[in-house]
Amino acid sequence: MVELRIGPHVKQDDPIAAAVAVGANAVQLFLGDPQGWKAPTVSYPGGASALRQAAADADVALYVHAPYVLNVATTNNRIRIPSRKILQQQVDLAAEIGAQGLVIHGGHVLKDDAPEVGIDNWRKCAERLDAKVPVLIENTAGGDHAMARTLERMTQLWDAVGEHGMGFCFDTCHAFSAGLDLAEAVDKIMAITGRIDLVHANDSRDEFNSGADRHANLGEGTIGLEPIGEVVRAAGAPVILETPGAKNGNADEIGALRRYLAT
Ligand SMILES: [Zn+2]
């Protein structure tokens, strides 16, 4: 198979140096505060255009992760409306740095809400969004009211957003925690979305179907390297590690995953 792009989630100040340091040819970064509601920023010296050029020169693919606080599905107007606005700002700035995609969690509705309302909120968001870069909806680990946890809900979600070009980011830890069988999850999701644009290759600190979202280093968690490697192989998409890393950052994990994929 063609060698896939693999790399870690890194700090924003110099994502290219962080990639080079661990032998990565892809990285994911935040643009600004991942827990806040401020407009996105580029902290790389020289700004967006300099980062774009540096990434091209180093042949490093950039992916942006939207702030965790965004929830375009919720019925809470005070969350949903600013979420849409900041999502567009994130997409715009991701395009300026030449990112390959913008990852956003599927979100959720409140416990007394019908999930269909959240699905419809996603549809409205997707309709109005100017997706200058692919927007990749990421599956999440827990909650009964999540938009991208179970295959059933993902099917509803894609009926609503699929025609608007939304992409998919498959997180192995989240899928395992959500109770999806990793051996068949890629095929099942591909049947729903028609695409997997990115894999978040994370091991888990928790048991299968725990609903918990605690990432572990590849090969050191409850999933193990092999099932994660098989997901990557089946998806055939670029890979981002969102794991704690060891002494040398994520270099050992990237090496182990590359060796697994070469067998
Ligand atoms: Zn993830």
Side-chain angles (χ1 to χ4, degrees), residues 65 105 138 171 174 200 202 215 242:
H65 198 299
H105 289 176
E138 178 176 357
D171 188 304
H174 298 175
H200 280 173
N202 301 315
H215 300 179
E242 303 174 308

Side-chain angles (χ1 to χ4, degrees), residues 243-257:
T243 59
K247 272 187 207 141
N248 60 354
N250 301 97
D252 287 351
E253 293 164 273
I254 292 169
L257 184 56

Side-chain angles (χ1 to χ4, degrees), residues 181-199:
D181 178 357
L182 290 185
E184 47 185 37
V186 168
D187 285 350
K188 290 194 166 172
I189 288 172
M190 285 287 269
I192 295 167
T193 63
R195 58 196 280 184
I196 292 176
D197 300 85
L198 184 67
V199 173

